[in-house]
């Protein structure tokens, strides 16, 4: 498999977030929040890119060969994101459904942000999954640890 090199996120305002820049570094530059609308990287010496005009949260995964995307879609209300993993060549490896069975109940929700995996961080990545509000106004939140290669949920934990 091919490694991803020089991974960068391009904001709507044109500012570039280089791999390894954390929120503290971004804030130190005095940048206001803005959407990420393009991802760029190199694969096999070839420049690659993915345009995400409605916004994306992206994470270069620990295997160095894939990127997880929480991509807004054109019909988003601002919170709904499609979770997928792409390979170094930009091809979609898999898309994760937005309905999951937890404690015997089928729950539909949205993927909100990435977290460090709680188990096997060299082969998994963590995401936060939030359900919609129920009749009592309660929302559930879970962390899923997903296997990078298959997308299988290897751990599900209540997050709050």
């Amino acid at each position: 498999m091919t490694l991803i090199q020089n991974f960068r996120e391009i904001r709507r305002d044109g500012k570039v977030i280089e791999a390894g820049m954390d929120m503290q570094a971004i804030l130190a530059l005095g940048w206001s929040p803005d959407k990420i609308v393009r991802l760029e990287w190199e694969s096999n010496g070839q420049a690659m890119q993915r345009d995400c005009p409605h916004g994306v949260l992206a994470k270069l995964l620990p295997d160095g060969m894939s990127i997880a995307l929480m991509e807004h879609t054109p019909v988003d209300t601002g919170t709904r994101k499609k979770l997928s993993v792409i390979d170094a060549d930009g091809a979609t490896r898999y898309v994760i459904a937005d309905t999951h069975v937890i404690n015997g109940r089928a729950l539909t929700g949205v993927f909100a942000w990435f977290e460090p995996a709680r188990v096997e961080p060299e082969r998994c990545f963590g995401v936060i999954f939030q359900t919609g509000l129920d009749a009592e106004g309660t929302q559930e939140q879970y962390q899923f640890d997903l296997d990078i290669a298959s997308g299988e949920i290897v751990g599900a934990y209540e997050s709050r």
Side-chain angles (χ1 to χ4, degrees), residues 95-155:
V95 176
I96 303 295
D98 61 1
T99 299
H100 298 277
V101 177
I102 301 171
N103 299 326
R105 298 179 302 140
L107 300 175
T108 299
V110 297
F111 294 98
W113 66 83
F114 296 104
E115 286 287 336
R118 295 184 185 188
V119 297
E120 301 186 60
E122 65 284 345
R123 75 169 192 95
C124 293
F125 68 103
V127 295
I128 297 297
F129 178 78
Q130 297 175 326
T131 65
L133 295 174
D134 64 16
E136 290 84 41
T138 304
Q139 180 182 48
E140 295 178 57
Q141 182 171 293
Y142 297 89
Q143 177 172 329
F144 293 161
D145 286 350
L146 302 170
D147 180 270
I148 293 169
S150 68
E152 176 186 352
I153 297 174
V154 297

Side-chain angles (χ1 to χ4, degrees), residues 7-40:
F7 179 70
R8 308 169 353 139
E9 298 170 291
I10 315 302
R11 295 167 24 130
R12 184 174 42 194
D13 62 9
K15 294 177 179 164
V16 177
I17 300 171
E18 299 290 345
M21 282 180 78
D22 62 10
M23 189 54 67
Q24 296 297 334
I26 293 168
L27 291 173
L29 292 169
W31 296 356
S32 299
D34 204 352
K35 284 185 179 183
I36 304 297
V37 294
R38 173 180 278 182
L39 306 173
E40 296 178 347

